[in-house]
Amino acid sequence: MGSMEPEGGRLFFQAETFETQRQERRRLSSRVIDEPAQPVAVHTECDVLVVGGGPAGTAAAVAAARLGADVVLMERYNHLGGLSTGGLVIWIDRMTDWSGRHVIRGFAEEALSRLTRDMIAGPDRADWGSHDPEKVAYWALRTAAYHDTVTHSPTLDPEWLKAESLAMVLEAGVHPIFHAWGARPVMEGNRVAGCIFESKEGRRAVLARATVDATGDGDLYARAGSGFDTEVDQRDIHGCMNTAWMLAGVDMDAFLRFRAETPEQYSQFMARGREAMRFFERPVVSWRNDVAVFMGPRLSGYSALKVEDLSEVEIKSHQLMIRHLAFYREHAPGFSDAYLMVSAPQLGVRHGRRLVGRGKLTREMWDGRTAPDEIGVSPPLSPKFANISVPYFSIVPADIGGLLAPGRHLSCDATSHSFMREIPQCWLTGHAAGIAAAIAANRGIEPAEVPISELRRNLAAQGAYLSPTRAMAEA
């Protein structure tokens, strides 16, 4: 299911969610203890610190370093890319608008251009925006055609995106620190001045002139005292969590023929699956025919901010992965020789917190207006809406200084979050945050004081797409 409109309107997307009753797996204690105060060693100092190496954080780090900033990128896992790699969200949602215009560009375009034909699959550029019925039918089965329109929505090899993301970071001169969990902001009054992190070396700190919270759930800005929103409709897919997995040894072309050419049998197959395990998921294509992706049943009723909830979703998802393998091997065309390839090391979280920013992207802004502080353009949910101008101040906290917050935890309403949480939009806002952080650090000013014209000039110089009317006005 999709996001609700702010006043309780209809849901935009239709996708099956599974409401589950949370189990009290263990009685939690009500006791508290005092942690003794102790000095924290400063690991290093830099111009720009980016906490979180997902799509937004990777884009921010590269963009800032290319403006000459000394950048440290802190990541809790052993890889970059976040959910686009470690979460196996290898289907990159629409980067074109409904006319076929390529609007998510800049860092995003460059990253994908580094992947060769054996690493990425999707419609040819000449077909973006096509309404040809045959092409639409073909790509609709392959996650790249919607509303009778072929879109730029590729699927890719997550290991190669990890590799190329790391290469871009190193080529830009960024200093990555892996296996480091950003735990708490370093505060100077009401201003963030870096981050304390946990690692095998214990508790250490990185000090920075400007900090980018790219944790995805706003962990730093929440602990710094920024306001945020957490409400989400429990019927909405964007409040669900799931762990994805991939099966290999399959023939996806055979399965897609079964789905397209025998719809009644396919419907019966899906019904048997739901009857057998209730939480039942269909596969989607990957970058190659012999690998199928299961995003995992979308489990609702859990919070991405509670460790016991995260643990329970992982347990249920992995159990369901084993049951899906057995069911598909027995009943699904193309899956008789399937085997487990990998389960995602990162949990699929769509929503944790949304920033209270100096600006906010709202449903009312889907009318084609151009934000005066535009940092990029997002495709709308359907052809009936205009392209959406993304404002800079949606990534600038209202309550604290020294920090920017790109990615899925930016300032927006619940409805706009349905697409602003996606990987291309995270690349878009991360790219802008990196440039803004570099300017702020270089000038010794707050992110809120960064000149919008200078930010936009640098975005354009790094290949980002901006609304033509604004671009012409500033030329």
Side-chain angles (χ1 to χ4, degrees), residues 21-339:
Q21 185 174 3
R22 285 180 292 181
Q23 300 173 358
E24 192 65 43
R25 296 189 301 116
R26 187 178 185 88
R27 186 175 64 85
L28 301 182
S29 176
S30 60
R31 295 178 60 189
V32 296
I33 62 172
D34 293 324
E35 183 178 6
Q38 57 182 324
V40 177
V42 174
H43 187 79
T44 191
E45 301 178 45
C46 60
D47 295 329
V48 175
L49 169 63
V50 180
V51 182
T58 304
V62 171
R66 286 178 174 173
L67 284 188
D70 174 23
V71 180
V72 171
L73 174 57
M74 184 182 300
E75 169 54 44
R76 61 173 164 159
Y77 294 107
N78 70 346
H79 60 268
L80 301 176
L83 290 181
S84 67
T85 57
L88 300 184
V89 186
I90 64 170
W91 161 51
I92 308 301
D93 202 0
R94 293 168 297 108
M95 300 177 69
T96 47
D97 65 14
W98 296 103
S99 72
R101 182 187 298 115
H102 193 182
V103 294
I104 305 281
R105 303 189 66 177
F107 177 88
E109 182 178 17
E110 182 181 348
L112 296 187
S113 73
R114 297 170 70 108
L115 304 178
T116 58
R117 278 291 195 181
D118 58 330
M119 307 170 189
I120 189 169
D124 291 333
R125 179 181 291 267
D127 292 332
W128 299 348
S130 172
H131 303 295
D132 177 84
E134 187 174 341
K135 292 177 180 178
V136 168
Y138 179 86
W139 287 112
L141 291 171
R142 293 164 176 82
T143 65
Y146 311 91
H147 298 288
D148 298 320
T149 306
V150 178
T151 68
H152 179 27
S153 305
T155 54
L156 49 80
D157 184 337
E159 290 303 319
W160 275 109
L161 184 56
K162 288 179 188 176
E164 293 300 336
S165 297
L166 179 59
M168 292 177 74
V169 161
L170 296 177
E171 289 164 9
V174 175
H175 179 73
I177 303 175
F178 292 107
H179 304 289
W181 189 302
R184 181 167 293 279
V186 176
M187 301 299 296
E188 293 179 352
N190 201 39
R191 186 179 188 280
V192 176
C195 178
I196 295 171
F197 68 94
E198 297 281 2
S199 74
K200 286 292 187 179
E201 293 185 77
R203 206 167 175 85
R204 298 173 73 82
V206 175
L207 303 182
R209 293 182 175 88
T211 301
V212 176
D213 181 348
T215 60
D217 293 316
D219 294 339
L220 281 191
Y221 69 62
R223 290 164 190 160
S226 172
F228 57 87
D229 297 315
T230 59
E231 88 284 352
V232 66
D233 193 297
Q234 291 299 325
R235 301 172 299 158
D236 189 337
I237 185 176
H238 307 294
C240 297
M241 292 189 288
N242 49 278
T243 296
W245 65 83
M246 294 196 295
L247 302 183
V250 308
D251 182 349
M252 276 301 288
D253 283 342
F255 182 80
L256 294 178
R257 285 194 300 271
F258 163 64
R259 179 180 166 188
E261 297 172 7
T262 58
E264 185 175 344
Q265 289 92 322
Y266 173 73
S267 179
Q268 293 170 354
F269 163 79
M270 293 298 292
R272 285 200 305 272
R274 294 187 189 98
E275 184 179 354
M277 62 187 83
R278 183 186 171 203
F279 304 100
F280 191 63
E281 180 77 358
R282 65 175 177 83
V284 294
V285 298
S286 74
W287 73 103
R288 51 188 292 165
N289 182 55
D290 61 347
V291 174
V293 181
F294 290 78
M295 295 315 300
R298 299 165 180 85
L299 304 178
S300 69
Y302 296 98
S303 169
L305 307 178
K306 295 183 179 294
V307 68
E308 290 290 339
D309 283 12
L310 298 174
S311 300
E312 187 169 328
V313 171
E314 290 283 18
I315 292 167
K316 288 182 181 294
S317 295
H318 283 83
Q319 291 172 335
L320 286 165
M321 176 181 68
I322 301 301
R323 296 181 66 188
H324 274 69
L325 174 64
F327 188 90
Y328 270 81
R329 278 174 129 176
E330 183 175 354
H331 300 291
F335 279 79
S336 60
D337 296 321
Y339 60 90

Side-chain angles (χ1 to χ4, degrees), residues 286-414:
S286 74
W287 73 103
R288 51 188 292 165
N289 182 55
D290 61 347
V291 174
V293 181
F294 290 78
M295 295 315 300
R298 299 165 180 85
L299 304 178
S300 69
Y302 296 98
S303 169
L305 307 178
K306 295 183 179 294
V307 68
E308 290 290 339
D309 283 12
L310 298 174
S311 300
E312 187 169 328
V313 171
E314 290 283 18
I315 292 167
K316 288 182 181 294
S317 295
H318 283 83
Q319 291 172 335
L320 286 165
M321 176 181 68
I322 301 301
R323 296 181 66 188
H324 274 69
L325 174 64
F327 188 90
Y328 270 81
R329 278 174 129 176
E330 183 175 354
H331 300 291
F335 279 79
S336 60
D337 296 321
Y339 60 90
L340 294 178
M341 180 178 176
V342 63
S343 60
Q346 292 185 233
L347 181 65
V349 173
R350 293 171 177 82
H351 183 274
R353 301 180 180 93
R354 300 192 313 279
L355 178 72
V356 173
R358 289 177 176 258
K360 186 175 184 178
L361 178 56
T362 65
R363 170 67 179 79
E364 290 72 26
M365 298 167 68
W366 301 12
D367 60 0
R369 74 184 70 179
T370 300
D373 55 341
E374 179 185 279
I375 53 174
V377 174
S378 171
L381 289 176
S382 80
K384 72 177 184 178
F385 299 112
N387 286 348
I388 295 159
S389 179
V390 180
Y392 171 60
F393 287 107
S394 67
I395 63 171
V396 181
D399 305 322
I400 56 175
L403 182 135
L404 287 153
R408 72 169 184 253
H409 55 218
L410 83 168
S411 178
C412 64
D413 60 24

